[in-house]
Every structure is written in C-alpha cells, then in structure tokens.
Amino acid sequence: MSLLSASLLGIEFANPLLNASGVHCRYHDELDALFQSAAGSLVTKSCTLAPRTGNPEPRYAATPLGSINSMGLPNEGYPYYLDYAQRHDHAAKPLFMSVAGLTLDDNMQMLAAIREAARPVIVELNLSCPNVPGKPQIAYDFEAMDRMLEAASRVYAQPFGVKMPPYFDIAHFDEAAAVLNRYPLVAFVTCINSIGNALVIDIEHESVVIRPKDGFGGIGGDYVLPTALANVNAFHRRCPAKEIIGCGGVKSGAEVFMHLLAGASLVQVGTALQEEGPGIFARLNAELAELLARKGYANPQAARGKLRTL
Ligand code: HRO
C-alpha cells in the first residue's frame, strides 16, 4: 500500500482524488485527460437518456471565492458514456458514471442498460441537479428520493452511490440519512453538489454573471467548504454502513485532508479543477502526501473520520 492509496467498495485507488462530475468530463478527450492525469479515478458528466445542449451561455463564471453555474445538464446521452465505460481500462483507474435522468423511469432505463453492459463502472446517481428549469432537486423531496432509491435498488440490484445536495438543518440530515439507510445497496454517499440557486452580482455592470434563470445558479469553491465538510461529517456519523465521497471547496492538500478528517474515503475536485486543469491532481497529491507524512498518518484511510470534537 503506497502512502496515498485509498479504497471504496473494496476497490483500491492509487489516491483518493477524482474530478467532481460536470468538470472536465463531458467528452471522451476530457475523460482521457483525466485518465492520463494524477487523479486516482474519474467520473463522467451526469447523463440523461438523450443528449442535451444545456442552458444558454454564459452559464459558468468564476469569482474570487469560487464559481457559479447553471449548465443545465449538457451531456452526450448515456450511450456515449456507456461506450466510454466499455472501452475504459478499469484495472488501471476505476471509472464512475454519473446518472441524472429527468424522471424516475429515465433513471431506471439507464440503470438497466448499465447493469446489462456488465462492466465494472461505479454508478453515482445524481439526486441533486439544481439547474434544470421546472425540475426540483429529488433529494430535497424525501418521498421522491425514497421512491427513486427503492426503484434503483430493485432495477440495478448491485451497489451504487448517490450524489447529494447540501442540507442546512439537523432535522434534514436526520431525515435524509434515514431514507438512505433504508437502502443497503446505496453503498456510498457523495456530499455535496453545488449550493443551489445562489446569485452572484457584478457591480460594475450592475448585472448577474450567468444568463440562465435570471442569473441564479449553483455555487462551488471557497463559498461551500464549511457546508461540504458539515455534510460529509453528518452523513459519515449517520450512515456507518456507507462510505462517503467528499466534494466541495478543495483547492489544496489542506482541504483534501479536512474532507478525510470529516469522514470521506475519496475526495472530488470541482471549481479548482475547472480553473487549474487536470495538472491540479499532481499538486494536490504532493501536498496531501506532505501533510499526511507530517501528521504521522500512514495513508488517507488512517485519517478518515479522525476529526476531534471539543
Ligand atoms: O449541469 C448542471 O447544471 C449541473 C448539474 Cl447536473 C449538477 O448536478 N450540479 C451542478 O452544479 N450543475
């Protein structure tokens, strides 16, 4: 076991880092660049049954503290990502496939096809896209989430993960975790998707900075780090039989280490990857290795959940 090796679902990863779905993963050449990078694994752009062009541009903007996006699920349709999964060298680098159907039936059709393909792809079911006009987030409707997980467990019938939105109330942590814990095939929980429906204002132009939804969009980066850590830790505490993937606010080895302490097994990088490109993974690995060695941890797993309370 090397200093950085990590594991999830009994699978070994060279290191705990991967992209956040949506960043650098829409096209095969972007996925190939992640495969060639120092990331330990990679995840595809959330897919729908049919290809989508997404919302009108500009639909992503970086700010000094992070980013805002309202991409609107632009993707090439699930067969494109399934094709990638069928040609991918899973032994060299594990591959996650993010699935975000617009309806329960769409998700079941995609999950059945992925199951049928019988490749060792790891499904991350996105219950938290904040940006499709007229489609509320599944994971903010606990009855809809329960129905989705019941159907997904029945149709997919093998372990999978869920991408969760941030929650902001202890009662919601409790209720969401109780729903997830009803489904043993939900083997991992990715916390968090962007904080939805925020508004960034450019005072020079007295204007919003992205076109869709009158400027409302999901924020990531520095804005979301403490919320991400709280959600990772809240689900780590409440879902002892599940593993957690941390996502939100990672731009150096320090934030990777914080996610590990909070309970994450793997850690995704969104805004900082968008801004810096796939070369970021080599830097983050070097910074994490230095930090783990200085702190006396043998590997990322040794730090997992080691957060102290006062
Ligand atoms: O495509 C998007 O607008 C998008 C998705 Cl699906 C998501 O899950 N999270 C996000 O910030 N943007």
Side-chain angles (χ1 to χ4, degrees), residues 112-136:
I114 296 167
R115 182 178 153 76
E116 191 72 17
R119 297 289 287 151
V121 65
I122 307 162
V123 168
E124 183 183 83
L125 183 62
N126 185 354
L127 302 178
S128 50
C129 176
N131 299 330
V132 179
K135 291 271 173 194

Side-chain angles (χ1 to χ4, degrees), residues 107-154:
N107 274 334
M108 295 316 120
Q109 211 173 307
M110 290 189 277
L111 290 175
I114 296 167
R115 182 178 153 76
E116 191 72 17
R119 297 289 287 151
V121 65
I122 307 162
V123 168
E124 183 183 83
L125 183 62
N126 185 354
L127 302 178
S128 50
C129 176
N131 299 330
V132 179
K135 291 271 173 194
Q137 296 185 48
I138 298 283
Y140 283 157
D141 175 342
F142 293 123
E143 285 174 11
M145 180 163 99
D146 193 288
R147 284 192 297 276
M148 189 66 80
L149 295 178
E150 187 280 323
S153 297
R154 186 164 30 79

Side-chain angles (χ1 to χ4, degrees), residues 277-297:
I280 192 172
F281 291 110
R283 177 173 69 78
L284 295 177
N285 274 325
E287 292 171 359
L288 178 63
E290 201 271 329
L291 200 44
L292 289 174
R294 179 156 64 81
K295 296 279 193 173
Y297 288 107

Side-chain angles (χ1 to χ4, degrees), residues 31-49:
L31 291 160
D32 287 341
L34 294 176
F35 182 75
Q36 297 299 335
S37 80
S41 58
L42 58 156
V43 54
T44 57
K45 170 66 185 171
S46 292
C47 62
T48 49
L49 273 185

Side-chain angles (χ1 to χ4, degrees), residues 21-22 45-46 54-55 59 69-74 98 100 126-132 163 193-195 217-219:
S21 178
K45 170 66 185 171
S46 292
N55 292 338
R59 56 193 185 180
N69 87 83
S70 182
M71 307 298 288
L73 261 175
S98 174
N126 185 354
L127 302 178
S128 50
C129 176
N131 299 330
V132 179
K163 176 79 169 275
N193 208 319
S194 52
I195 297 183
I219 50 171

